[in-house]
Protein backbone atom coordinates (compact mmCIF):
# COMPACT_ATOMS: atom_id res chain seq x y z
CA UNK A 1 0.00 0.00 0.00
CA UNK A 2 1.36 3.39 -0.98
CA UNK A 3 1.36 5.69 2.06
CA UNK A 4 2.43 9.32 1.55
CA UNK A 5 4.59 10.51 4.47
CA UNK A 6 1.95 12.84 6.01
CA UNK A 7 -0.46 9.93 6.38
CA UNK A 8 1.80 7.44 8.15
CA UNK A 9 0.62 6.29 11.58
CA UNK A 10 1.91 8.37 14.50
CA UNK A 11 3.14 5.13 16.10
CA UNK A 12 2.63 1.38 15.73
CA UNK A 13 -0.06 1.27 18.41
CA UNK A 14 -2.45 2.96 15.97
CA UNK A 15 -2.21 -0.03 13.63
CA UNK A 16 -2.69 -2.53 16.45
CA UNK A 17 -5.71 -0.60 17.76
CA UNK A 18 -7.27 -0.43 14.30
CA UNK A 19 -6.93 -4.21 13.86
CA UNK A 20 -8.49 -4.92 17.26
CA UNK A 21 -11.30 -2.45 16.73
CA UNK A 22 -12.07 -3.42 13.11
CA UNK A 23 -11.52 -7.19 12.95
CA UNK A 24 -13.44 -7.93 9.74
CA UNK A 25 -10.46 -8.26 7.40
CA UNK A 26 -10.09 -8.92 3.69
CA UNK A 27 -7.74 -11.87 3.14
CA UNK A 28 -6.06 -11.67 -0.28
CA UNK A 29 -3.84 -14.36 -1.77
CA UNK A 30 -2.69 -15.46 -5.21
CA UNK A 31 -4.49 -18.10 -7.22
CA UNK A 32 -3.57 -19.63 -10.54
CA UNK A 33 -3.32 -17.58 -13.72
CA UNK A 34 -6.78 -18.83 -14.67
CA UNK A 35 -8.34 -18.13 -11.27
CA UNK A 36 -6.65 -14.84 -10.50
CA UNK A 37 -6.34 -13.59 -6.91
CA UNK A 38 -8.66 -14.77 -4.15
CA UNK A 39 -10.22 -12.34 -1.65
CA UNK A 40 -12.42 -13.25 1.32
CA UNK A 41 -13.89 -11.13 4.11
CA UNK A 42 -13.46 -12.90 7.44
CA UNK A 43 -13.00 -12.25 11.18
CA UNK A 44 -9.42 -12.03 12.44
CA UNK A 45 -8.12 -11.69 16.01
CA UNK A 46 -4.71 -11.46 17.66
CA UNK A 47 -3.60 -14.88 18.91
CA UNK A 48 -4.44 -14.77 22.66
CA UNK A 49 -1.51 -17.10 23.40
CA UNK A 50 1.00 -14.41 22.44
CA UNK A 51 2.09 -11.84 24.98
CA UNK A 52 4.01 -8.59 24.99
CA UNK A 53 3.84 -5.45 22.88
CA UNK A 54 3.68 -5.63 19.09
CA UNK A 55 6.63 -4.24 17.15
CA UNK A 56 6.29 -0.93 15.31
CA UNK A 57 5.59 -2.66 11.97
CA UNK A 58 3.70 -5.54 13.69
CA UNK A 59 6.29 -8.06 12.47
CA UNK A 60 6.29 -11.24 14.54
CA UNK A 61 2.68 -10.81 15.64
CA UNK A 62 0.35 -13.78 15.22
CA UNK A 63 -3.27 -13.51 14.08
CA UNK A 64 -6.01 -16.13 13.93
CA UNK A 65 -8.84 -16.43 11.42
CA UNK A 66 -11.29 -18.87 9.91
CA UNK A 67 -13.48 -19.28 6.84
CA UNK A 68 -15.94 -21.71 5.31
CA UNK A 69 -14.12 -24.77 3.95
CA UNK A 70 -16.53 -24.80 1.00
CA UNK A 71 -14.97 -21.50 -0.12
CA UNK A 72 -12.58 -22.20 -3.05
CA UNK A 73 -10.19 -19.78 -1.38
CA UNK A 74 -9.61 -22.33 1.41
CA UNK A 75 -8.58 -25.04 -1.06
CA UNK A 76 -6.16 -22.58 -2.69
CA UNK A 77 -4.46 -21.64 0.58
CA UNK A 78 -1.19 -23.40 1.29
CA UNK A 79 0.76 -23.45 4.52
CA UNK A 80 3.81 -21.20 4.12
CA UNK A 81 2.21 -19.10 1.38
CA UNK A 82 2.38 -15.32 1.53
CA UNK A 83 -0.92 -13.46 1.92
CA UNK A 84 -2.29 -10.04 2.75
CA UNK A 85 -4.86 -9.01 5.35
CA UNK A 86 -6.50 -5.61 4.77
CA UNK A 87 -8.30 -3.93 7.67
CA UNK A 88 -10.46 -0.82 7.20
CA UNK A 89 -11.04 1.61 10.05
CA UNK A 90 -13.10 4.82 10.37
CA UNK A 91 -13.61 6.80 7.15
CA UNK A 92 -15.75 9.66 5.89
CA UNK A 93 -16.27 11.96 2.90
CA UNK A 94 -14.95 15.52 3.19
CA UNK A 95 -16.99 18.14 1.34
CA UNK A 96 -15.17 21.36 0.33
CA UNK A 97 -17.93 23.35 2.02
CA UNK A 98 -16.38 22.37 5.36
CA UNK A 99 -13.08 24.07 4.48
CA UNK A 100 -14.57 27.54 4.16
CA UNK A 101 -11.99 28.50 1.52
CA UNK A 102 -11.84 28.60 -2.30
CA UNK A 103 -10.46 26.97 -4.37
CA UNK A 104 -10.81 23.55 -2.75
CA UNK A 105 -11.33 19.93 -3.74
CA UNK A 106 -13.37 17.14 -2.15
CA UNK A 107 -11.60 14.12 -0.66
CA UNK A 108 -12.15 11.10 1.53
CA UNK A 109 -10.54 10.71 4.93
CA UNK A 110 -9.89 7.06 5.73
CA UNK A 111 -7.85 4.67 7.82
CA UNK A 112 -6.52 1.29 6.76
CA UNK A 113 -3.88 -1.25 7.71
CA UNK A 114 -2.41 -3.79 5.27
CA UNK A 115 -0.68 -6.71 6.97
CA UNK A 116 1.65 -9.05 5.08
CA UNK A 117 2.57 -12.49 6.35
CA UNK A 118 2.47 -16.24 5.96
CA UNK A 119 -0.44 -18.64 6.36
CA UNK A 120 -0.47 -21.80 8.44
CA UNK A 121 -3.55 -23.92 7.87
CA UNK A 122 -4.92 -25.61 10.98
CA UNK A 123 -6.11 -28.96 9.64
CA UNK A 124 -9.28 -30.01 11.46
CA UNK A 125 -8.62 -33.66 10.63
CA UNK A 126 -5.41 -33.71 12.69
CA UNK A 127 -5.86 -30.67 14.97
CA UNK A 128 -9.58 -30.55 15.73
CA UNK A 129 -9.04 -29.15 19.21
CA UNK A 130 -6.74 -26.42 17.89
CA UNK A 131 -9.30 -25.42 15.27
CA UNK A 132 -11.97 -25.36 17.98
CA UNK A 133 -9.73 -23.10 20.08
CA UNK A 134 -9.59 -20.61 17.19
CA UNK A 135 -13.39 -20.47 17.11
CA UNK A 136 -13.66 -20.19 20.91
CA UNK A 137 -10.99 -17.49 21.06
CA UNK A 138 -12.81 -15.53 18.35
CA UNK A 139 -16.07 -15.72 20.30
CA UNK A 140 -14.36 -14.57 23.51
CA UNK A 141 -12.68 -11.64 21.76
CA UNK A 142 -15.81 -10.42 20.04
CA UNK A 143 -18.22 -10.96 22.93
CA UNK A 144 -15.96 -9.04 25.29
CA UNK A 145 -15.52 -6.12 22.89
CA UNK A 146 -18.68 -6.01 20.78
CA UNK A 147 -21.19 -8.42 22.33
CA UNK A 148 -23.08 -8.90 25.57
CA UNK A 149 -20.84 -11.43 27.29
CA UNK A 150 -22.68 -14.45 25.87
CA UNK A 151 -21.70 -17.74 27.53
CA UNK A 152 -20.79 -20.24 24.81
CA UNK A 153 -20.51 -23.27 27.13
CA UNK A 154 -23.93 -24.69 26.20
CA UNK A 155 -23.13 -24.38 22.49
CA UNK A 156 -19.79 -26.21 22.44
CA UNK A 157 -21.48 -29.38 21.23
CA UNK A 158 -22.89 -27.43 18.30
CA UNK A 159 -19.46 -25.93 17.63
CA UNK A 160 -17.97 -29.43 17.37
CA UNK A 161 -20.77 -30.46 15.02
CA UNK A 162 -20.04 -27.65 12.54
CA UNK A 163 -16.26 -27.71 12.99
CA UNK A 164 -15.62 -29.92 9.90
CA UNK A 165 -16.94 -27.01 7.80
CA UNK A 166 -14.56 -24.49 9.40
CA UNK A 167 -11.17 -23.72 7.88
CA UNK A 168 -9.02 -22.20 10.65
CA UNK A 169 -5.61 -20.66 10.10
CA UNK A 170 -2.75 -18.89 11.82
CA UNK A 171 -1.19 -15.81 10.21
CA UNK A 172 2.37 -14.77 11.13
CA UNK A 173 2.99 -11.12 10.33
CA UNK A 174 6.15 -10.14 8.43
CA UNK A 175 5.29 -6.44 8.18
CA UNK A 176 2.49 -3.90 7.89
CA UNK A 177 1.64 -0.48 6.45
CA UNK A 178 -0.85 1.89 8.05
CA UNK A 179 -2.65 4.66 6.17
CA UNK A 180 -4.25 7.30 8.42
CA UNK A 181 -5.45 10.00 6.01
CA UNK A 182 -6.99 12.53 8.38
CA UNK A 183 -6.55 15.93 6.71
CA UNK A 184 -2.90 16.23 7.81
CA UNK A 185 -2.11 18.05 4.55
CA UNK A 186 -4.45 20.90 5.51
CA UNK A 187 -3.66 23.96 7.62
CA UNK A 188 -4.43 23.40 11.33
CA UNK A 189 -7.51 25.64 11.32
CA UNK A 190 -9.00 23.81 8.32
CA UNK A 191 -8.24 20.42 9.85
CA UNK A 192 -10.03 21.60 12.99
CA UNK A 193 -13.09 22.55 10.92
CA UNK A 194 -13.19 19.07 9.39
CA UNK A 195 -12.82 17.43 12.81
CA UNK A 196 -15.57 19.56 14.35
CA UNK A 197 -17.89 18.93 11.39
CA UNK A 198 -17.41 15.16 11.68
CA UNK A 199 -17.88 15.17 15.47
CA UNK A 200 -21.32 16.78 15.10
CA UNK A 201 -22.64 14.26 12.58
CA UNK A 202 -25.14 11.54 13.50
CA UNK A 203 -23.15 8.95 11.51
CA UNK A 204 -20.93 6.85 13.78
CA UNK A 205 -18.25 6.61 11.06
CA UNK A 206 -17.89 10.38 11.00
CA UNK A 207 -17.67 10.58 14.79
CA UNK A 208 -15.09 7.78 14.93
CA UNK A 209 -13.02 9.57 12.28
CA UNK A 210 -13.28 12.80 14.26
CA UNK A 211 -12.06 11.01 17.40
CA UNK A 212 -8.94 9.83 15.58
CA UNK A 213 -8.32 13.29 14.14
CA UNK A 214 -8.43 14.69 17.68
CA UNK A 215 -5.62 12.32 18.68
CA UNK A 216 -3.25 13.50 15.95
CA UNK A 217 0.00 15.03 17.26
Amino acid sequence: MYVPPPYREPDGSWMADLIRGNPLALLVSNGTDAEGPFATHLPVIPDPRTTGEWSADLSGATLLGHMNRANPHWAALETGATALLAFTGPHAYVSPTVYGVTPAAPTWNFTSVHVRGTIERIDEATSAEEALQVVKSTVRAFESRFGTGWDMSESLGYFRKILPAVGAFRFTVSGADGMFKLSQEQAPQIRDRVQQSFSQRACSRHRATAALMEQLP
Side-chain angles (χ1 to χ4, degrees), residues 74-89:
W74 176 253
L77 286 179
E78 296 181 1
T79 291
T82 300
L84 175 77
L85 285 168
F87 298 83
T88 301

Side-chain angles (χ1 to χ4, degrees), residues 15 29 50 57 75 105 110 115 120 124 147-148 156 170 173 178 187:
M15 292 198 292
S29 62
T50 60
D57 67 350
F110 69 93
V115 179
E120 177 192 349
E124 187 273 338
T148 57
L156 293 180
R170 183 175 293 104
V173 180

Side-chain angles (χ1 to χ4, degrees), residues 27-33 35 38 67 69 71-84 117-123 167-172:
L27 173 66
V28 183
S29 62
N30 291 330
T32 65
D33 289 342
E35 295 167 333
F38 286 95
M67 69 170 71
R69 282 176 174 267
N71 186 340
H73 195 170
W74 176 253
L77 286 179
E78 296 181 1
T79 291
T82 300
L84 175 77
T118 54
I119 289 282
E120 177 192 349
R121 287 170 47 128
I122 299 173
D123 191 347
F169 63 88
R170 183 175 293 104
F171 188 99
T172 302

Side-chain angles (χ1 to χ4, degrees), residues 151-175:
D151 183 354
M152 73 179 96
S153 57
E154 294 184 0
S155 295
L156 293 180
Y158 176 67
F159 284 8
R160 294 182 187 279
K161 181 179 179 180
I162 64 175
L163 197 61
V166 175
F169 63 88
R170 183 175 293 104
F171 188 99
T172 302
V173 180
S174 59

